[in-house]
């Protein structure tokens, strides 16, 4: 079965610093979603990547999917306290309307 | 984007009672919806696939008689936790796809169930 490994599991950064979270798949990805979650709350959609080599940015967050479509990274520039939360990567099990398998998440804390 | 709602957002119940959670696609029709469960400090795990007009398919280890799923219309799926116990306390979240374009999954806001 497909597994998504996220690293690091947790991260504490000083406000203003950059950071990167990685998501690695055991199989070729049909697509890759990034979400943010506050504890006990729903998922906030960040970005979806589908093509090898694709890169998307929104405000200070950039996500990339490698050419082989097995690894994605999420990069936050000049982190702020509002970036704190749990970041989850998720991927469809196959093409079409299928559920997502999720990584275990990366807990980000941003300290002043 | 498409909107998926869940009701209730939070529920507290006594052990042994049943709880129904609704998942609605507000501006699109969904023949398939997915139910996930998230335990504290854990990731989301797929519980079952809800199919409109037919039986749900359950993931290994999920009891179909305990977690009843009914997908009676193209915009509503319900998950009923029967005879709930404290170990069923969790965050339940559903998703659906418009099935247009890239099959993007849209998630509901989740339901936090606490069983006393």
């Amino acid at each position: 079965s497909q597994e998504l490994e996220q690293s690091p599991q947790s991260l504490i950064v000083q406000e203003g610093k950059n950071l990167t979270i990685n998501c690695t798949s055991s199989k070729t990805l049909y697509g890759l979603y990034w979400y943010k979650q506050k504890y006990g709350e729903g998922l906030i959609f960040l970005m979806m990547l589908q093509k090898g080599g694709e890169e998307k940015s929104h405000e200070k967050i950039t996500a990339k999917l490698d050419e082989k479509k097995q690894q994605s990274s999420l990069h936050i520039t000049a982190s702020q306290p509002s970036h704190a939360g749990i970041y989850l990567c998720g991927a469809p099990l196959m093409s079409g309307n299928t559920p997502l398998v999720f990584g275990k998440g990366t807990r980000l804390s941003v300290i002043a | 984007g498409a909107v998926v709602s869940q009701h209730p957002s939070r529920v507290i119940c006594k052990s042994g009672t049943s709880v129904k959670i609704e998942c609605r696609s507000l501006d699109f029709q969904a023949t398939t919806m997915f139910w996930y469960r998230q335990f504290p400090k854990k990731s989301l795990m797929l519980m079952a696939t809800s199919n409109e007009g037919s039986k749900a398919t359950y993931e290994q280890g999920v009891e179909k008689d305990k977690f009843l799923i009914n997908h009676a219309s193209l915009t509503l799926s319900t998950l009923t936790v029967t005879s709930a116990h404290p170990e069923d306390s969790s965050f339940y979240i559903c998703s659906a796809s418009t099935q247009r374009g890239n099959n993007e999954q849209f998630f509901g806001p989740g339901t936090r169930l606490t069983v006393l």
Side-chain angles (χ1 to χ4, degrees):
Chain A
S1 62
Q2 184 174 28
E3 292 186 355
L4 294 179
E5 291 287 335
Q6 276 188 246
S7 63
Q9 289 185 334
S10 63
L11 194 54
I12 301 174
V13 299
Q14 198 165 22
E15 184 177 356
K17 296 295 186 182
N18 303 335
L19 64 106
T20 300
I21 299 169
N22 294 301
C23 178
T24 303
S25 171
S26 55
K27 298 180 180 180
T28 300
L29 296 165
Y30 290 96
L32 195 287
Y33 294 74
W34 282 101
Y35 294 93
K36 180 184 173 184
Q37 186 182 31
K38 296 279 190 182
Y39 178 69
E41 299 180 8
L43 303 178
I44 300 169
F45 173 77
L46 296 176
M47 268 168 276
M48 179 176 69
L49 305 167
Q50 286 194 304
K51 299 177 182 177
E54 187 174 9
E55 178 176 322
K56 289 186 177 179
S57 293
H58 178 67
E59 296 182 342
K60 295 184 177 180
I61 300 176
T62 300
K64 301 178 185 180
L65 182 61
D66 73 340
E67 290 288 345
K68 292 184 178 179
K69 295 176 66 175
Q70 283 192 277
Q71 186 170 33
S72 177
S73 61
L74 185 80
H75 185 77
I76 299 177
T77 303
S79 58
Q80 299 171 352
S82 60
H83 288 128
I86 302 167
Y87 289 82
L88 291 164
C89 63
L93 295 171
M94 56 188 73
S95 62
N97 186 16
T98 61
L100 303 185
V101 62
F102 286 89
K104 293 183 178 180
T106 296
R107 183 177 297 272
L108 173 64
S109 301
V110 181
I111 56 175
Chain B
V3 179
V4 175
S5 70
Q6 277 185 245
H7 178 80
S9 57
R10 292 176 181 270
V11 57
I12 301 173
C13 70
K14 293 182 179 179
S15 186
T17 60
S18 294
V19 174
K20 180 185 286 188
I21 303 170
E22 294 183 347
C23 177
R24 291 182 186 274
S25 55
L26 296 185
D27 49 1
F28 65 99
Q29 294 181 333
T31 56
T32 302
M33 292 184 177
F34 303 106
W35 286 97
Y36 300 81
R37 179 170 53 184
Q38 185 180 35
F39 290 109
K41 298 187 179 181
K42 300 291 185 181
S43 192
L44 279 77
M45 297 295 292
L46 179 68
M47 295 177 66
T49 300
S50 173
N51 304 297
E52 189 270 334
S54 65
K55 292 182 179 180
T57 52
Y58 291 81
E59 294 302 296
Q60 191 173 13
V62 179
E63 298 176 57
K64 63 178 182 179
D65 294 329
K66 181 168 184 61
F67 298 99
L68 301 179
I69 291 174
N70 184 20
H71 197 146
S73 77
L74 287 171
T75 59
L76 174 64
S77 173
T78 60
L79 169 68
T80 300
V81 183
T82 62
S83 186
H85 289 284
E87 57 265 30
D88 299 322
S89 298
S90 188
F91 189 64
Y92 293 86
I93 191 166
C94 67
S95 76
S97 170
T98 62
Q99 296 182 262
R100 293 192 297 267
N102 56 21
N103 289 302
E104 179 181 348
Q105 291 292 326
F106 296 92
F107 284 83
T111 297
R112 176 154 302 282
L113 170 64
T114 302
V115 185
L116 302 177

